[in-house]
Amino acid sequence: MTLLLRGGTVPGDTVFEGAAFERTVTGTTETQLADVLVGDDGLIAEIGPDLSAPAGTLELDASGATVAPGLVDLQANLCQPGFEEGETIETGSRAAVLGGYTAVVVMPNTNPAVDSAGVVREVRAYAEKALCHIEVAGAITVGRAGEQLAPIGEMASLGVRIFTDADTGVTNDRLMRRAMEYAAGMDVTLALHADVESLSADGHMNEGEWSSRLGIPGIPAEAEELMVMRDIALCRLTGARVHFQHLSTAASIAMVVAARDQGLPVTFDVTPANFTLTDGACASFDAQFKVSPPLRATVDRDAVRAALHAGSVDAIATNHAPQPAHLKDHPFDLAPAGALGLQTALALVTTQLELDMAQTIELMSTGPARVAGLHDSHGGPLAAGRPANLMVFDPDVAWTVNGAQSASLSRNTPYEGMQLRGQVRHTIVNGRAVVRDAEIQGAVQ
């Protein structure tokens, strides 16, 4: 079935053919009012004003909203196989498309871990029920235990492009060097969680004034920063392509930006939790505010925001980490870390940051698609002949976060009761409207 998105605003880099179109200017970013026609082959057929469409075309209202490339998430913990109580790939994909995501990189912190070709195939089989594209990340080490390299080449031969031990840092320096040497020879990316476990062990929140006040053992910023320093040095030695996940401190960001400016193949992402909240939120002893990396001090939160405004950040990743309610109800020091992110990330950017839509698309779609190697099918620009992986976003809709209404199986959000601005109206995956008027339509075939 053909599909027409009628009367939306499209980004300034949208490729038009033929007729003139109306231009509007928001700040310094030029946008354009146009229709987007999607063919029954799942590709964008035409972009322009007042398009006509074949009989039987599904027409969706995009007036007052932005038609943009679908979002891409570099870090979603979708729990399957092994931890389906918290989430499944199918339920996680529902949350994703409601949040405007058309592609999600799923972490290998499952049971068993995604550390072999067999488990890669298993996760891909689960992904057949997903509403969006699921990109499988493989583990760097067997069982994510940090003791033996996983068969990276075997998984890469199946098309796996990102390798990570997810929320566990590879602490063995020699092993990390070997992993980078292998990665450099196979054109894959290592996505790294920076954490020196000997420093962070037994910590439950950021080490600082608030941890001292509350009597909660802390995780020092240096646990992240020392591993960032090491991995930049190993990147320089091996030439491997390295992506730093969820950086949370001012010093970590400064080191990676400096290394990138020196020409090293390094990129990094930040998460909404670390540009919206600080460790002071933990004063409630509510485990919804226990995340990994931890909420940092105000100076670090402000550094993350400054990097976003400066254009220094490569991507915003959700770090979507579902946790069953009975586990999050434990005391702060016993509860697991993690928070939902897929349905709130875009609205948090719109509400909390003063970014224009072009910057938002770069951080949440184009940039992460580039890091994940998905830029041929996700991340734009909008142009005839490209796969129709799109979202329609209304920046003016106000709504209140309610974990009980999440599409996820879990309900753990630190934003409960917060009013946000901006909602996804439609999400198009491979030319099919899987979300219409903010409601799920069904599985992708």
Side-chain angles (χ1 to χ4, degrees):
M1 174 186 291
T2 54
L3 182 153
L4 181 66
L5 300 174
R6 177 73 76 184
T9 299
V10 296
D13 62 352
T14 299
V15 180
F16 285 78
E17 295 182 4
F21 48 86
E22 181 178 353
R23 293 179 181 269
T24 62
V25 176
T26 304
T28 59
T29 302
E30 189 175 72
T31 59
Q32 310 163 6
L33 300 178
D35 302 334
V36 178
L37 180 65
V38 176
D40 57 12
D41 58 0
L43 304 178
I44 297 174
E46 187 178 0
I47 304 172
D50 302 319
L51 296 181
S52 58
T57 295
L58 172 64
E59 186 168 323
L60 298 179
D61 177 29
S63 60
T66 297
V67 181
L71 306 185
V72 177
D73 188 26
L74 290 175
Q75 189 181 1
N77 303 278
L78 297 192
C79 306
Q80 193 175 20
F83 303 108
E84 289 85 353
E85 182 183 15
E87 193 78 285
T88 68
I89 289 176
E90 193 272 335
T91 60
S93 75
R94 286 176 169 266
V97 295
L98 285 168
Y101 289 90
T102 57
V104 169
V105 179
V106 295
M107 294 294 96
N109 51 345
T110 51
N111 187 19
V114 186
D115 60 1
S116 68
V119 185
V120 170
R121 293 188 183 98
E122 181 181 356
V123 174
R124 287 178 174 172
Y126 295 132
E128 292 177 3
K129 295 182 179 179
L131 276 73
C132 62
H133 173 74
I134 298 296
E135 185 73 8
V136 180
I140 296 173
T141 66
V142 175
R144 300 172 44 251
E147 297 175 355
Q148 178 184 350
L149 278 184
I152 294 174
E154 178 182 274
M155 290 185 279
S157 69
L158 294 179
V160 176
R161 290 173 274 200
I162 293 182
F163 293 86
T164 175
D165 271 4
D167 53 358
T168 301
V170 179
T171 58
N172 184 306
D173 301 338
R174 186 177 182 86
L175 190 64
M176 191 71 252
R177 175 182 176 172
R178 288 181 57 208
M180 287 198 190
E181 288 171 341
Y182 276 110
M186 288 186 285
D187 192 33
V188 299
T189 298
L190 297 184
L192 305 179
H193 171 81
D195 176 44
V196 177
E197 187 177 350
S198 59
L199 288 176
S200 64
D202 301 321
H204 302 284
M205 64 173 292
N206 180 58
E207 182 178 288
E209 178 183 353
W210 277 106
S211 65
S212 297
R213 285 189 190 183
L214 301 173
I216 297 176
I219 299 171
E222 288 76 9
E224 176 177 298
E225 293 160 5
L226 284 173
M227 190 166 279
V228 168
M229 189 183 304
R230 180 204 71 175
D231 289 338
I232 288 173
L234 292 177
C235 172
R236 183 178 291 111
L237 176 66
T238 63
R241 191 164 62 239
V242 171
H243 178 78
F244 290 94
Q245 298 174 306
H246 46 241
L247 293 187
S248 65
T249 80
S252 292
I253 291 172
M255 284 188 285
V256 178
V257 169
R260 192 178 58 200
D261 289 346
Q262 293 166 12
L264 293 185
V266 294
T267 53
F268 74 100
D269 65 58
V270 299
T271 73
N274 290 112
F275 67 71
T276 59
L277 301 169
T278 68
D279 54 357
C282 299
S284 64
F285 291 97
D286 185 346
Q288 300 295 354
F289 296 103
K290 185 177 182 179
V291 294
S292 177
L295 302 179
R296 297 292 188 182
T298 301
V299 65
D300 292 307
R301 190 276 310 274
D302 291 348
V304 173
R305 289 189 174 191
L308 286 163
H309 286 117
S312 301
V313 181
D314 295 284
I316 291 173
T318 70
N319 197 12
H320 180 82
Q323 298 289 355
H326 69 91
L327 296 181
K328 271 294 189 179
D329 285 342
H330 285 164
F332 197 94
D333 60 338
L334 299 178
L340 302 181
L342 288 166
Q343 285 180 251
T344 53
L346 180 55
L348 285 166
V349 170
T350 302
T351 306
Q352 296 269 328
L353 301 176
E354 295 179 356
L355 301 177
D356 59 41
M357 199 61 194
Q359 291 172 298
T360 300
I361 292 169
E362 172 63 30
L363 285 164
M364 302 189 73
S365 180
T366 308
R370 190 182 304 121
V371 171
L374 298 174
H375 47 280
D376 288 341
S377 54
H378 295 269
L382 304 189
R386 280 188 60 87
N389 292 306
L390 312 167
M391 68 153 184
V392 178
F393 179 67
D394 186 338
D396 296 322
V397 174
W399 58 284
T400 301
V401 178
N402 183 340
Q405 295 177 356
S406 170
S408 171
L409 286 181
S410 295
R411 304 290 180 257
N412 53 307
T413 174
Y415 304 108
E416 185 72 28
M418 181 181 288
Q419 187 170 71
L420 300 180
R421 178 171 51 85
Q423 185 178 65
V424 173
R425 187 184 298 175
H426 315 299
T427 304
I428 314 301
V429 177
N430 294 329
R432 183 168 177 232
V434 295
V435 173
R436 297 187 212 167
D437 298 317
E439 294 186 358
I440 294 285
Q441 297 302 303
V444 175
Q445 301 299 319

PDB file of all heavy atoms in Angstrom, residues 210-231:
ATOM      1  N   TRP A 210      26.653  14.211  47.867  1.00  0.00           N
ATOM      2  CA  TRP A 210      25.380  13.557  48.187  1.00  0.00           C
ATOM      3  C   TRP A 210      25.577  12.145  48.725  1.00  0.00           C
ATOM      4  O   TRP A 210      24.862  11.718  49.631  1.00  0.00           O
ATOM      5  CB  TRP A 210      24.460  13.547  46.976  1.00  0.00           C
ATOM      6  CG  TRP A 210      23.719  14.841  46.817  1.00  0.00           C
ATOM      7  CD1 TRP A 210      23.953  15.825  45.901  1.00  0.00           C
ATOM      8  CD2 TRP A 210      22.648  15.309  47.641  1.00  0.00           C
ATOM      9  NE1 TRP A 210      23.087  16.872  46.100  1.00  0.00           N
ATOM     10  CE2 TRP A 210      22.281  16.590  47.157  1.00  0.00           C
ATOM     11  CE3 TRP A 210      21.976  14.781  48.739  1.00  0.00           C
ATOM     12  CZ2 TRP A 210      21.258  17.338  47.719  1.00  0.00           C
ATOM     13  CZ3 TRP A 210      20.951  15.519  49.317  1.00  0.00           C
ATOM     14  CH2 TRP A 210      20.589  16.786  48.814  1.00  0.00           C
ATOM     15  N   SER A 211      26.520  11.397  48.194  1.00  0.00           N
ATOM     16  CA  SER A 211      26.751  10.050  48.728  1.00  0.00           C
ATOM     17  C   SER A 211      27.226  10.119  50.170  1.00  0.00           C
ATOM     18  O   SER A 211      26.853   9.288  51.006  1.00  0.00           O
ATOM     19  CB  SER A 211      27.759   9.285  47.860  1.00  0.00           C
ATOM     20  OG  SER A 211      29.042   9.885  47.909  1.00  0.00           O
ATOM     21  N   SER A 212      28.027  11.141  50.476  1.00  0.00           N
ATOM     22  CA  SER A 212      28.482  11.325  51.856  1.00  0.00           C
ATOM     23  C   SER A 212      27.313  11.671  52.773  1.00  0.00           C
ATOM     24  O   SER A 212      27.189  11.134  53.881  1.00  0.00           O
ATOM     25  CB  SER A 212      29.539  12.426  51.929  1.00  0.00           C
ATOM     26  OG  SER A 212      30.686  12.066  51.188  1.00  0.00           O
ATOM     27  N   ARG A 213      26.453  12.569  52.332  1.00  0.00           N
ATOM     28  CA  ARG A 213      25.296  12.956  53.141  1.00  0.00           C
ATOM     29  C   ARG A 213      24.364  11.776  53.404  1.00  0.00           C
ATOM     30  O   ARG A 213      23.835  11.606  54.501  1.00  0.00           O
ATOM     31  CB  ARG A 213      24.496  14.044  52.423  1.00  0.00           C
ATOM     32  CG  ARG A 213      25.101  15.412  52.433  1.00  0.00           C
ATOM     33  CD  ARG A 213      24.053  16.389  51.866  1.00  0.00           C
ATOM     34  NE  ARG A 213      24.596  17.691  51.609  1.00  0.00           N
ATOM     35  CZ  ARG A 213      23.868  18.715  51.180  1.00  0.00           C
ATOM     36  NH1 ARG A 213      22.567  18.540  50.960  1.00  0.00           N
ATOM     37  NH2 ARG A 213      24.418  19.888  50.963  1.00  0.00           N
ATOM     38  N   LEU A 214      24.162  10.967  52.363  1.00  0.00           N
ATOM     39  CA  LEU A 214      23.169   9.902  52.442  1.00  0.00           C
ATOM     40  C   LEU A 214      23.729   8.614  53.030  1.00  0.00           C
ATOM     41  O   LEU A 214      22.971   7.698  53.357  1.00  0.00           O
ATOM     42  CB  LEU A 214      22.591   9.623  51.052  1.00  0.00           C
ATOM     43  CG  LEU A 214      21.917  10.822  50.363  1.00  0.00           C
ATOM     44  CD1 LEU A 214      21.549  10.467  48.922  1.00  0.00           C
ATOM     45  CD2 LEU A 214      20.687  11.249  51.135  1.00  0.00           C
ATOM     46  N   GLY A 215      25.060   8.524  53.144  1.00  0.00           N
ATOM     47  CA  GLY A 215      25.665   7.297  53.657  1.00  0.00           C
ATOM     48  C   GLY A 215      25.584   6.141  52.687  1.00  0.00           C
ATOM     49  O   GLY A 215      25.583   4.970  53.095  1.00  0.00           O
ATOM     50  N   ILE A 216      25.522   6.451  51.377  1.00  0.00           N
ATOM     51  CA  ILE A 216      25.464   5.415  50.342  1.00  0.00           C
ATOM     52  C   ILE A 216      26.841   5.310  49.698  1.00  0.00           C
ATOM     53  O   ILE A 216      27.400   6.329  49.256  1.00  0.00           O
ATOM     54  CB  ILE A 216      24.409   5.762  49.274  1.00  0.00           C
ATOM     55  CG1 ILE A 216      23.012   5.814  49.890  1.00  0.00           C
ATOM     56  CG2 ILE A 216      24.443   4.746  48.131  1.00  0.00           C
ATOM     57  CD1 ILE A 216      21.924   6.258  48.918  1.00  0.00           C
ATOM     58  N   PRO A 217      27.434   4.113  49.633  1.00  0.00           N
ATOM     59  CA  PRO A 217      28.747   3.967  48.995  1.00  0.00           C
ATOM     60  C   PRO A 217      28.729   4.505  47.562  1.00  0.00           C
ATOM     61  O   PRO A 217      27.773   4.278  46.811  1.00  0.00           O
ATOM     62  CB  PRO A 217      28.997   2.462  49.029  1.00  0.00           C
ATOM     63  CG  PRO A 217      28.173   1.978  50.183  1.00  0.00           C
ATOM     64  CD  PRO A 217      26.941   2.833  50.188  1.00  0.00           C
ATOM     65  N   GLY A 218      29.779   5.237  47.198  1.00  0.00           N
ATOM     66  CA  GLY A 218      29.786   5.934  45.920  1.00  0.00           C
ATOM     67  C   GLY A 218      30.648   5.287  44.847  1.00  0.00           C
ATOM     68  O   GLY A 218      31.519   4.462  45.128  1.00  0.00           O
ATOM     69  N   ILE A 219      30.396   5.721  43.613  1.00  0.00           N
ATOM     70  CA  ILE A 219      31.180   5.327  42.441  1.00  0.00           C
ATOM     71  C   ILE A 219      31.915   6.580  41.978  1.00  0.00           C
ATOM     72  O   ILE A 219      31.293   7.543  41.518  1.00  0.00           O
ATOM     73  CB  ILE A 219      30.270   4.804  41.310  1.00  0.00           C
ATOM     74  CG1 ILE A 219      29.490   3.576  41.781  1.00  0.00           C
ATOM     75  CG2 ILE A 219      31.092   4.489  40.061  1.00  0.00           C
ATOM     76  CD1 ILE A 219      28.405   3.135  40.808  1.00  0.00           C
ATOM     77  N   PRO A 220      33.236   6.618  42.103  1.00  0.00           N
ATOM     78  CA  PRO A 220      33.960   7.841  41.753  1.00  0.00           C
ATOM     79  C   PRO A 220      33.987   8.081  40.247  1.00  0.00           C
ATOM     80  O   PRO A 220      33.987   7.136  39.451  1.00  0.00           O
ATOM     81  CB  PRO A 220      35.370   7.585  42.291  1.00  0.00           C
ATOM     82  CG  PRO A 220      35.512   6.098  42.282  1.00  0.00           C
ATOM     83  CD  PRO A 220      34.138   5.557  42.599  1.00  0.00           C
ATOM     84  N   ALA A 221      34.030   9.330  39.860  1.00  0.00           N
ATOM     85  CA  ALA A 221      34.145   9.684  38.451  1.00  0.00           C
ATOM     86  C   ALA A 221      35.384   9.050  37.832  1.00  0.00           C
ATOM     87  O   ALA A 221      35.396   8.679  36.648  1.00  0.00           O
ATOM     88  CB  ALA A 221      34.198  11.197  38.303  1.00  0.00           C
ATOM     89  N   GLU A 222      36.420   8.885  38.645  1.00  0.00           N
ATOM     90  CA  GLU A 222      37.673   8.324  38.135  1.00  0.00           C
ATOM     91  C   GLU A 222      37.522   6.892  37.639  1.00  0.00           C
ATOM     92  O   GLU A 222      38.327   6.437  36.809  1.00  0.00           O
ATOM     93  CB  GLU A 222      38.750   8.394  39.221  1.00  0.00           C
ATOM     94  CG  GLU A 222      39.267   9.788  39.512  1.00  0.00           C
ATOM     95  CD  GLU A 222      38.313  10.624  40.333  1.00  0.00           C
ATOM     96  OE1 GLU A 222      37.301  10.077  40.847  1.00  0.00           O
ATOM     97  OE2 GLU A 222      38.575  11.831  40.497  1.00  0.00           O
ATOM     98  N   ALA A 223      36.525   6.158  38.117  1.00  0.00           N
ATOM     99  CA  ALA A 223      36.309   4.787  37.625  1.00  0.00           C
ATOM    100  C   ALA A 223      35.985   4.808  36.136  1.00  0.00           C
ATOM    101  O   ALA A 223      36.372   3.898  35.390  1.00  0.00           O
ATOM    102  CB  ALA A 223      35.177   4.117  38.407  1.00  0.00           C
ATOM    103  N   GLU A 224      35.263   5.822  35.691  1.00  0.00           N
ATOM    104  CA  GLU A 224      34.987   5.995  34.264  1.00  0.00           C
ATOM    105  C   GLU A 224      36.191   6.598  33.539  1.00  0.00           C
ATOM    106  O   GLU A 224      36.612   6.113  32.478  1.00  0.00           O
ATOM    107  CB  GLU A 224      33.766   6.889  34.088  1.00  0.00           C
ATOM    108  CG  GLU A 224      33.442   7.228  32.640  1.00  0.00           C
ATOM    109  CD  GLU A 224      32.167   8.058  32.529  1.00  0.00           C
ATOM    110  OE1 GLU A 224      31.099   7.555  32.926  1.00  0.00           O
ATOM    111  OE2 GLU A 224      32.244   9.211  32.035  1.00  0.00           O
ATOM    112  N   GLU A 225      36.761   7.615  34.124  1.00  0.00           N
ATOM    113  CA  GLU A 225      37.775   8.401  33.429  1.00  0.00           C
ATOM    114  C   GLU A 225      39.071   7.626  33.191  1.00  0.00           C
ATOM    115  O   GLU A 225      39.701   7.760  32.129  1.00  0.00           O
ATOM    116  CB  GLU A 225      38.045   9.672  34.229  1.00  0.00           C
ATOM    117  CG  GLU A 225      36.842  10.602  34.241  1.00  0.00           C
ATOM    118  CD  GLU A 225      36.850  11.615  35.364  1.00  0.00           C
ATOM    119  OE1 GLU A 225      37.864  11.660  36.115  1.00  0.00           O
ATOM    120  OE2 GLU A 225      35.858  12.350  35.501  1.00  0.00           O
ATOM    121  N   LEU A 226      39.476   6.793  34.133  1.00  0.00           N
ATOM    122  CA  LEU A 226      40.704   6.017  33.950  1.00  0.00           C
ATOM    123  C   LEU A 226      40.572   5.026  32.800  1.00  0.00           C
ATOM    124  O   LEU A 226      41.521   4.827  32.030  1.00  0.00           O
ATOM    125  CB  LEU A 226      41.061   5.281  35.247  1.00  0.00           C
ATOM    126  CG  LEU A 226      41.672   6.141  36.359  1.00  0.00           C
ATOM    127  CD1 LEU A 226      41.814   5.343  37.640  1.00  0.00           C
ATOM    128  CD2 LEU A 226      43.027   6.690  35.924  1.00  0.00           C
ATOM    129  N   MET A 227      39.378   4.413  32.660  1.00  0.00           N
ATOM    130  CA  MET A 227      39.221   3.467  31.558  1.00  0.00           C
ATOM    131  C   MET A 227      39.098   4.192  30.222  1.00  0.00           C
ATOM    132  O   MET A 227      39.573   3.692  29.196  1.00  0.00           O
ATOM    133  CB  MET A 227      38.034   2.536  31.794  1.00  0.00           C
ATOM    134  CG  MET A 227      37.995   1.392  30.786  1.00  0.00           C
ATOM    135  SD  MET A 227      36.884   0.039  31.231  1.00  0.00           S
ATOM    136  CE  MET A 227      37.907  -0.863  32.400  1.00  0.00           C
ATOM    137  N   VAL A 228      38.481   5.350  30.219  1.00  0.00           N
ATOM    138  CA  VAL A 228      38.452   6.146  28.990  1.00  0.00           C
ATOM    139  C   VAL A 228      39.879   6.470  28.559  1.00  0.00           C
ATOM    140  O   VAL A 228      40.241   6.339  27.376  1.00  0.00           O
ATOM    141  CB  VAL A 228      37.631   7.443  29.192  1.00  0.00           C
ATOM    142  CG1 VAL A 228      37.853   8.405  28.027  1.00  0.00           C
ATOM    143  CG2 VAL A 228      36.155   7.120  29.339  1.00  0.00           C
ATOM    144  N   MET A 229      40.706   6.870  29.510  1.00  0.00           N
ATOM    145  CA  MET A 229      42.106   7.194  29.218  1.00  0.00           C
ATOM    146  C   MET A 229      42.835   5.984  28.628  1.00  0.00           C
ATOM    147  O   MET A 229      43.546   6.087  27.617  1.00  0.00           O
ATOM    148  CB  MET A 229      42.796   7.664  30.500  1.00  0.00           C
ATOM    149  CG  MET A 229      44.193   8.236  30.311  1.00  0.00           C
ATOM    150  SD  MET A 229      44.948   8.669  31.913  1.00  0.00           S
ATOM    151  CE  MET A 229      43.710   9.787  32.569  1.00  0.00           C
ATOM    152  N   ARG A 230      42.640   4.822  29.249  1.00  0.00           N
ATOM    153  CA  ARG A 230      43.294   3.605  28.750  1.00  0.00           C
ATOM    154  C   ARG A 230      42.847   3.265  27.343  1.00  0.00           C
ATOM    155  O   ARG A 230      43.666   2.940  26.461  1.00  0.00           O
ATOM    156  CB  ARG A 230      42.986   2.423  29.684  1.00  0.00           C
ATOM    157  CG  ARG A 230      43.632   1.115  29.245  1.00  0.00           C
ATOM    158  CD  ARG A 230      42.910  -0.105  29.771  1.00  0.00           C
ATOM    159  NE  ARG A 230      41.607  -0.315  29.140  1.00  0.00           N
ATOM    160  CZ  ARG A 230      40.826  -1.364  29.372  1.00  0.00           C
ATOM    161  NH1 ARG A 230      41.205  -2.287  30.246  1.00  0.00           N
ATOM    162  NH2 ARG A 230      39.661  -1.486  28.760  1.00  0.00           N
ATOM    163  N   ASP A 231      41.544   3.330  27.097  1.00  0.00           N
ATOM    164  CA  ASP A 231      41.032   2.888  25.801  1.00  0.00           C
ATOM    165  C   ASP A 231      41.370   3.860  24.684  1.00  0.00           C
ATOM    166  O   ASP A 231      41.519   3.455  23.525  1.00  0.00           O
ATOM    167  CB  ASP A 231      39.530   2.643  25.904  1.00  0.00           C
ATOM    168  CG  ASP A 231      39.213   1.398  26.723  1.00  0.00           C
ATOM    169  OD1 ASP A 231      40.092   0.537  26.847  1.00  0.00           O
ATOM    170  OD2 ASP A 231      38.083   1.297  27.250  1.00  0.00           O
TER     171      ASP A 231
END
